[in-house]
Amino acid sequence: MNDPARPERIDFSGFEAALRRRAAEEAQPAHTPAVSTALASQSRLTEVELTWIEKKLEHWIRFGHFAQDRILTRKTRVVSFRPGAIFAFVRWSSNDYGTIVSRIDVVRAVAPGEPYTTLPFVRPGGDILLHVESWPKVSQVLAAIDAVEAADVDPCDAAADHWRHVHNRIAAGHQPRPYTMERHRAWLKRREIEG
């Protein structure tokens, strides 16, 4: 019987070509770094995906200077940072019973070829200066950011060591020391000397 819906001959040439390409790719030596840590891409900025679904899922940047800003949908956009830029990334989500996730990370964007740590919604990743979970601790970090701004210093320009200090003090259950203009001037002189 001859079935008109069934072809007499099936053409597998595309399939065979795909198999040949795959075999050739597997035969090439893998270019993996000798170090076990991830390394930043050679040509990319650090991208952060921001989502805002009112009272459900809210990702936002508390401070940081964008190099690029792309709107993907009404609720999602991607912001990019140049290497060396410091930014604070806040993630919050809830369900019908209340808050389920509350996090803040202060991250330094990495330069191409520099080691980094992966972080959700941050591509490729960054140097994590501060990572805090739970709303009481997140509110302490937000207060520390407000204190830096009250000292007339842009939090992006504050010393990276200050954010590590805030992380360690909050993790130990202590109040972080305030960031003053004197500390900022000392940081600027140190950066000038170190080059």
PDB file of all heavy atoms in Angstrom, residues 9-25:
ATOM      1  N   ARG A   9      11.259   7.942   0.859  1.00  0.00           N
ATOM      2  CA  ARG A   9      12.664   7.997   1.260  1.00  0.00           C
ATOM      3  C   ARG A   9      12.828   9.163   2.227  1.00  0.00           C
ATOM      4  O   ARG A   9      12.369  10.267   1.977  1.00  0.00           O
ATOM      5  CB  ARG A   9      13.548   8.212   0.033  1.00  0.00           C
ATOM      6  CG  ARG A   9      15.001   8.196   0.357  1.00  0.00           C
ATOM      7  CD  ARG A   9      15.830   8.371  -0.911  1.00  0.00           C
ATOM      8  NE  ARG A   9      17.238   8.314  -0.676  1.00  0.00           N
ATOM      9  CZ  ARG A   9      17.960   9.246  -0.083  1.00  0.00           C
ATOM     10  NH1 ARG A   9      17.373  10.327   0.377  1.00  0.00           N
ATOM     11  NH2 ARG A   9      19.257   9.114   0.066  1.00  0.00           N
ATOM     12  N   ILE A  10      13.511   8.911   3.370  1.00  0.00           N
ATOM     13  CA  ILE A  10      13.766   9.960   4.349  1.00  0.00           C
ATOM     14  C   ILE A  10      15.190  10.453   4.146  1.00  0.00           C
ATOM     15  O   ILE A  10      16.126   9.658   4.049  1.00  0.00           O
ATOM     16  CB  ILE A  10      13.569   9.440   5.781  1.00  0.00           C
ATOM     17  CG1 ILE A  10      12.119   8.958   5.959  1.00  0.00           C
ATOM     18  CG2 ILE A  10      13.915  10.507   6.806  1.00  0.00           C
ATOM     19  CD1 ILE A  10      11.861   8.294   7.278  1.00  0.00           C
ATOM     20  N   ASP A  11      15.355  11.757   4.066  1.00  0.00           N
ATOM     21  CA  ASP A  11      16.663  12.359   3.837  1.00  0.00           C
ATOM     22  C   ASP A  11      17.353  12.611   5.185  1.00  0.00           C
ATOM     23  O   ASP A  11      16.896  13.411   5.986  1.00  0.00           O
ATOM     24  CB  ASP A  11      16.487  13.685   3.079  1.00  0.00           C
ATOM     25  CG  ASP A  11      17.817  14.321   2.733  1.00  0.00           C
ATOM     26  OD1 ASP A  11      18.843  13.624   2.774  1.00  0.00           O
ATOM     27  OD2 ASP A  11      17.811  15.530   2.436  1.00  0.00           O
ATOM     28  N   PHE A  12      18.460  11.895   5.432  1.00  0.00           N
ATOM     29  CA  PHE A  12      19.210  12.038   6.674  1.00  0.00           C
ATOM     30  C   PHE A  12      20.480  12.872   6.490  1.00  0.00           C
ATOM     31  O   PHE A  12      21.334  12.899   7.365  1.00  0.00           O
ATOM     32  CB  PHE A  12      19.602  10.657   7.219  1.00  0.00           C
ATOM     33  CG  PHE A  12      18.456   9.904   7.819  1.00  0.00           C
ATOM     34  CD1 PHE A  12      17.832   8.892   7.113  1.00  0.00           C
ATOM     35  CD2 PHE A  12      17.997  10.211   9.086  1.00  0.00           C
ATOM     36  CE1 PHE A  12      16.775   8.196   7.661  1.00  0.00           C
ATOM     37  CE2 PHE A  12      16.942   9.520   9.644  1.00  0.00           C
ATOM     38  CZ  PHE A  12      16.324   8.508   8.935  1.00  0.00           C
ATOM     39  N   SER A  13      20.618  13.583   5.393  1.00  0.00           N
ATOM     40  CA  SER A  13      21.863  14.311   5.118  1.00  0.00           C
ATOM     41  C   SER A  13      22.112  15.417   6.156  1.00  0.00           C
ATOM     42  O   SER A  13      23.247  15.637   6.569  1.00  0.00           O
ATOM     43  CB  SER A  13      21.840  14.897   3.710  1.00  0.00           C
ATOM     44  OG  SER A  13      20.757  15.802   3.588  1.00  0.00           O
ATOM     45  N   GLY A  14      21.072  16.103   6.595  1.00  0.00           N
ATOM     46  CA  GLY A  14      21.240  17.139   7.618  1.00  0.00           C
ATOM     47  C   GLY A  14      21.676  16.543   8.946  1.00  0.00           C
ATOM     48  O   GLY A  14      22.513  17.097   9.661  1.00  0.00           O
ATOM     49  N   PHE A  15      21.138  15.386   9.268  1.00  0.00           N
ATOM     50  CA  PHE A  15      21.491  14.700  10.506  1.00  0.00           C
ATOM     51  C   PHE A  15      22.950  14.255  10.474  1.00  0.00           C
ATOM     52  O   PHE A  15      23.688  14.423  11.441  1.00  0.00           O
ATOM     53  CB  PHE A  15      20.551  13.514  10.703  1.00  0.00           C
ATOM     54  CG  PHE A  15      20.819  12.720  11.945  1.00  0.00           C
ATOM     55  CD1 PHE A  15      20.545  13.263  13.193  1.00  0.00           C
ATOM     56  CD2 PHE A  15      21.343  11.447  11.878  1.00  0.00           C
ATOM     57  CE1 PHE A  15      20.787  12.541  14.346  1.00  0.00           C
ATOM     58  CE2 PHE A  15      21.592  10.721  13.010  1.00  0.00           C
ATOM     59  CZ  PHE A  15      21.316  11.256  14.257  1.00  0.00           C
ATOM     60  N   GLU A  16      23.373  13.692   9.316  1.00  0.00           N
ATOM     61  CA  GLU A  16      24.759  13.241   9.178  1.00  0.00           C
ATOM     62  C   GLU A  16      25.728  14.417   9.260  1.00  0.00           C
ATOM     63  O   GLU A  16      26.788  14.313   9.876  1.00  0.00           O
ATOM     64  CB  GLU A  16      24.931  12.505   7.845  1.00  0.00           C
ATOM     65  CG  GLU A  16      24.215  11.168   7.813  1.00  0.00           C
ATOM     66  CD  GLU A  16      24.203  10.563   6.418  1.00  0.00           C
ATOM     67  OE1 GLU A  16      24.760  11.175   5.482  1.00  0.00           O
ATOM     68  OE2 GLU A  16      23.634   9.476   6.277  1.00  0.00           O
ATOM     69  N   ALA A  17      25.366  15.555   8.677  1.00  0.00           N
ATOM     70  CA  ALA A  17      26.231  16.737   8.741  1.00  0.00           C
ATOM     71  C   ALA A  17      26.364  17.235  10.175  1.00  0.00           C
ATOM     72  O   ALA A  17      27.451  17.610  10.621  1.00  0.00           O
ATOM     73  CB  ALA A  17      25.680  17.843   7.842  1.00  0.00           C
ATOM     74  N   ALA A  18      25.268  17.194  10.910  1.00  0.00           N
ATOM     75  CA  ALA A  18      25.310  17.617  12.316  1.00  0.00           C
ATOM     76  C   ALA A  18      26.195  16.684  13.131  1.00  0.00           C
ATOM     77  O   ALA A  18      26.956  17.132  13.994  1.00  0.00           O
ATOM     78  CB  ALA A  18      23.903  17.664  12.891  1.00  0.00           C
ATOM     79  N   LEU A  19      26.126  15.378  12.859  1.00  0.00           N
ATOM     80  CA  LEU A  19      26.984  14.429  13.567  1.00  0.00           C
ATOM     81  C   LEU A  19      28.455  14.668  13.242  1.00  0.00           C
ATOM     82  O   LEU A  19      29.308  14.593  14.126  1.00  0.00           O
ATOM     83  CB  LEU A  19      26.601  12.989  13.195  1.00  0.00           C
ATOM     84  CG  LEU A  19      25.335  12.432  13.852  1.00  0.00           C
ATOM     85  CD1 LEU A  19      25.045  11.034  13.327  1.00  0.00           C
ATOM     86  CD2 LEU A  19      25.497  12.399  15.350  1.00  0.00           C
ATOM     87  N   ARG A  20      28.765  14.975  11.975  1.00  0.00           N
ATOM     88  CA  ARG A  20      30.158  15.267  11.591  1.00  0.00           C
ATOM     89  C   ARG A  20      30.669  16.522  12.295  1.00  0.00           C
ATOM     90  O   ARG A  20      31.794  16.559  12.780  1.00  0.00           O
ATOM     91  CB  ARG A  20      30.265  15.415  10.074  1.00  0.00           C
ATOM     92  CG  ARG A  20      30.468  14.081   9.372  1.00  0.00           C
ATOM     93  CD  ARG A  20      30.819  14.261   7.915  1.00  0.00           C
ATOM     94  NE  ARG A  20      29.707  13.700   7.159  1.00  0.00           N
ATOM     95  CZ  ARG A  20      28.810  14.378   6.457  1.00  0.00           C
ATOM     96  NH1 ARG A  20      28.900  15.653   6.326  1.00  0.00           N
ATOM     97  NH2 ARG A  20      27.817  13.780   5.845  1.00  0.00           N
ATOM     98  N   ARG A  21      29.822  17.581  12.349  1.00  0.00           N
ATOM     99  CA  ARG A  21      30.220  18.817  13.038  1.00  0.00           C
ATOM    100  C   ARG A  21      30.483  18.563  14.515  1.00  0.00           C
ATOM    101  O   ARG A  21      31.455  19.036  15.073  1.00  0.00           O
ATOM    102  CB  ARG A  21      29.133  19.884  12.881  1.00  0.00           C
ATOM    103  CG  ARG A  21      29.250  20.710  11.631  1.00  0.00           C
ATOM    104  CD  ARG A  21      28.387  21.954  11.700  1.00  0.00           C
ATOM    105  NE  ARG A  21      27.009  21.720  12.112  1.00  0.00           N
ATOM    106  CZ  ARG A  21      26.005  21.383  11.295  1.00  0.00           C
ATOM    107  NH1 ARG A  21      26.234  21.242   9.997  1.00  0.00           N
ATOM    108  NH2 ARG A  21      24.788  21.192  11.761  1.00  0.00           N
ATOM    109  N   ARG A  22      29.611  17.788  15.128  1.00  0.00           N
ATOM    110  CA  ARG A  22      29.761  17.502  16.555  1.00  0.00           C
ATOM    111  C   ARG A  22      31.040  16.700  16.809  1.00  0.00           C
ATOM    112  O   ARG A  22      31.765  16.964  17.772  1.00  0.00           O
ATOM    113  CB  ARG A  22      28.547  16.742  17.058  1.00  0.00           C
ATOM    114  CG  ARG A  22      28.566  16.513  18.534  1.00  0.00           C
ATOM    115  CD  ARG A  22      27.274  15.920  19.005  1.00  0.00           C
ATOM    116  NE  ARG A  22      27.339  15.676  20.430  1.00  0.00           N
ATOM    117  CZ  ARG A  22      26.467  14.978  21.090  1.00  0.00           C
ATOM    118  NH1 ARG A  22      25.436  14.437  20.467  1.00  0.00           N
ATOM    119  NH2 ARG A  22      26.591  14.797  22.384  1.00  0.00           N
ATOM    120  N   ALA A  23      31.324  15.730  15.968  1.00  0.00           N
ATOM    121  CA  ALA A  23      32.549  14.934  16.120  1.00  0.00           C
ATOM    122  C   ALA A  23      33.786  15.816  15.955  1.00  0.00           C
ATOM    123  O   ALA A  23      34.769  15.671  16.682  1.00  0.00           O
ATOM    124  CB  ALA A  23      32.566  13.794  15.114  1.00  0.00           C
ATOM    125  N   ALA A  24      33.735  16.766  15.013  1.00  0.00           N
ATOM    126  CA  ALA A  24      34.876  17.675  14.808  1.00  0.00           C
ATOM    127  C   ALA A  24      35.073  18.591  16.016  1.00  0.00           C
ATOM    128  O   ALA A  24      36.207  18.857  16.427  1.00  0.00           O
ATOM    129  CB  ALA A  24      34.658  18.501  13.548  1.00  0.00           C
ATOM    130  N   GLU A  25      33.974  19.072  16.600  1.00  0.00           N
ATOM    131  CA  GLU A  25      34.076  19.934  17.788  1.00  0.00           C
ATOM    132  C   GLU A  25      34.651  19.176  18.972  1.00  0.00           C
ATOM    133  O   GLU A  25      35.454  19.703  19.737  1.00  0.00           O
ATOM    134  CB  GLU A  25      32.698  20.502  18.150  1.00  0.00           C
ATOM    135  CG  GLU A  25      32.200  21.546  17.192  1.00  0.00           C
ATOM    136  CD  GLU A  25      30.753  21.927  17.455  1.00  0.00           C
ATOM    137  OE1 GLU A  25      30.141  21.403  18.418  1.00  0.00           O
ATOM    138  OE2 GLU A  25      30.230  22.751  16.678  1.00  0.00           O
TER     139      GLU A  25
END
